[in-house]
Amino acid sequence: MPVHRLRPVRLLLAALVATLLAAVSLPASAADTPARGSAYMGIGVLAHDGQNGTPRDTRATQTEGVDVSGHQGNVAWSTLWSSGVKWAYVKATEGTYYTNPYFAQQYNGSYNVGMIRGSYHFATPDTTGGATQADYFVDHGGGWSKDGRTLPGALDIEWNPYGASCYGKTQSGMVTWIRDFLNRYKARTGRDAVIYTATSWWTECTGNYAGFATANPLWIARYASTVGTLPAGWGYYTMWQYTSSGPTVGDHDKFNGALDRVQALANG
């Protein structure tokens, strides 16, 4: 083959080799970073806290629930209802750049089968302020109405799947961000938002701050037979995400009370 015809082939091969080498040398942390918007409630629980069983049967009355995001796509709500699930939370937003494309099917679908449902916001404190994200949440599915079937919005504040666990904030800076979100959410809706978190993250990233416990219900994340130690200030949990491997939908939760207590939270 003439030399002038070989040169393009060699250039192509060189480019392919360079691309392969770049892919191989990509740092693991960068290669494992999920796409913005793909986070979901409990995304960091297994990696940071592990899984140690499921809740034991007790005499305490609890009500089964689920939480879903765009990760689940269209959800089989009738199947969940038949299995005993009576309440649900649906991811509405993340940061100020993402809305769940399956939100309508999930939020309305859970309601239509009879569930009490609410929506949640995945916080990204490194992108915009707390008040700004609260506004985005309320404006894109995070509102509340006293219809007896709508739970107050939940702030999902946990490990950062896109970078440093505490989003580059100091403990006091994180507390301020959370306070800004909660204050704006209440100003917009009249309700105190639920706080979803894990004790280990809360301790590391807020210094185990106790100041929100009097007003904001706690939704604790722990995949074990008991909830373990709760964050400072909270003497009990309102909701408990206890597994990411349940039937139909992986993320299952228990409400700390009978169905009438779920209704009471919905009514405010």
Side-chain angles (χ1 to χ4, degrees), residues 136-210:
Y136 187 79
F137 178 42
V138 173
D139 292 341
H140 296 86
W144 175 79
S145 59
K146 191 172 183 178
D147 59 4
R149 300 278 300 281
T150 303
L151 293 160
L155 172 64
D156 179 359
I157 186 77
E158 58 174 302
W159 296 279
N160 179 10
Y162 311 118
S165 292
C166 301
Y167 300 85
K169 291 197 173 294
T170 63
Q171 292 174 340
S172 62
M174 183 63 75
V175 170
T176 297
W177 192 97
I178 295 170
R179 182 183 296 113
D180 289 346
F181 181 98
L182 298 176
N183 287 346
R184 181 63 64 87
Y185 185 81
K186 185 168 186 178
R188 290 287 306 274
T189 66
R191 293 301 306 272
D192 289 301
V194 173
I195 294 177
Y196 168 96
T197 195
T199 301
S200 57
W201 183 90
W202 192 262
T203 301
E204 177 186 352
C205 297
T206 75
N208 209 18
Y209 180 74

Side-chain angles (χ1 to χ4, degrees), residues 178-252:
I178 295 170
R179 182 183 296 113
D180 289 346
F181 181 98
L182 298 176
N183 287 346
R184 181 63 64 87
Y185 185 81
K186 185 168 186 178
R188 290 287 306 274
T189 66
R191 293 301 306 272
D192 289 301
V194 173
I195 294 177
Y196 168 96
T197 195
T199 301
S200 57
W201 183 90
W202 192 262
T203 301
E204 177 186 352
C205 297
T206 75
N208 209 18
Y209 180 74
F212 301 127
T214 56
N216 301 96
L218 173 66
W219 188 348
I220 193 69
R222 189 167 189 260
Y223 302 164
S225 58
T226 65
V227 295
T229 302
L230 299 179
W234 283 282
Y236 61 92
Y237 66 90
T238 298
M239 290 169 277
W240 170 19
Q241 187 191 55
Y242 68 88
T243 187
S244 62
S245 55
T248 310
V249 167
D251 295 347
H252 274 244

Side-chain angles (χ1 to χ4, degrees), residues 28-238:
S29 58
D32 296 340
T33 301
R36 283 275 178 182
S38 64
Y40 52 87
M41 190 172 272
I43 189 170
V45 173
L46 282 174
H48 289 85
D49 288 346
Q51 183 163 340
N52 300 287
T54 54
R56 297 187 294 265
D57 290 333
T58 67
R59 293 185 180 182
T61 301
Q62 296 190 320
T63 307
E64 192 76 6
V66 296
D67 57 270
V68 299
S69 68
H71 178 71
Q72 276 85 17
N74 291 326
V75 174
W77 291 111
S78 58
T79 301
L80 285 166
W81 176 262
S82 298
S83 72
V85 174
K86 301 303 178 187
W87 60 275
Y89 265 89
V90 176
K91 181 181 179 182
T93 51
E94 177 178 320
T96 52
Y97 51 79
Y98 173 85
T99 57
N100 176 6
Y102 294 94
F103 181 77
Q105 192 276 343
Q106 295 173 349
Y107 192 70
N108 297 328
S110 54
Y111 182 93
N112 289 339
V113 299
M115 292 185 191
I116 301 172
R117 48 76 163 117
S119 56
Y120 78 86
H121 173 78
F122 192 94
T124 57
D126 57 335
T127 60
T128 45
T132 300
Q133 291 195 26
D135 280 332
Y136 187 79
F137 178 42
V138 173
D139 292 341
H140 296 86
W144 175 79
S145 59
K146 191 172 183 178
D147 59 4
R149 300 278 300 281
T150 303
L151 293 160
L155 172 64
D156 179 359
I157 186 77
E158 58 174 302
W159 296 279
N160 179 10
Y162 311 118
S165 292
C166 301
Y167 300 85
K169 291 197 173 294
T170 63
Q171 292 174 340
S172 62
M174 183 63 75
V175 170
T176 297
W177 192 97
I178 295 170
R179 182 183 296 113
D180 289 346
F181 181 98
L182 298 176
N183 287 346
R184 181 63 64 87
Y185 185 81
K186 185 168 186 178
R188 290 287 306 274
T189 66
R191 293 301 306 272
D192 289 301
V194 173
I195 294 177
Y196 168 96
T197 195
T199 301
S200 57
W201 183 90
W202 192 262
T203 301
E204 177 186 352
C205 297
T206 75
N208 209 18
Y209 180 74
F212 301 127
T214 56
N216 301 96
L218 173 66
W219 188 348
I220 193 69
R222 189 167 189 260
Y223 302 164
S225 58
T226 65
V227 295
T229 302
L230 299 179
W234 283 282
Y236 61 92
Y237 66 90
T238 298

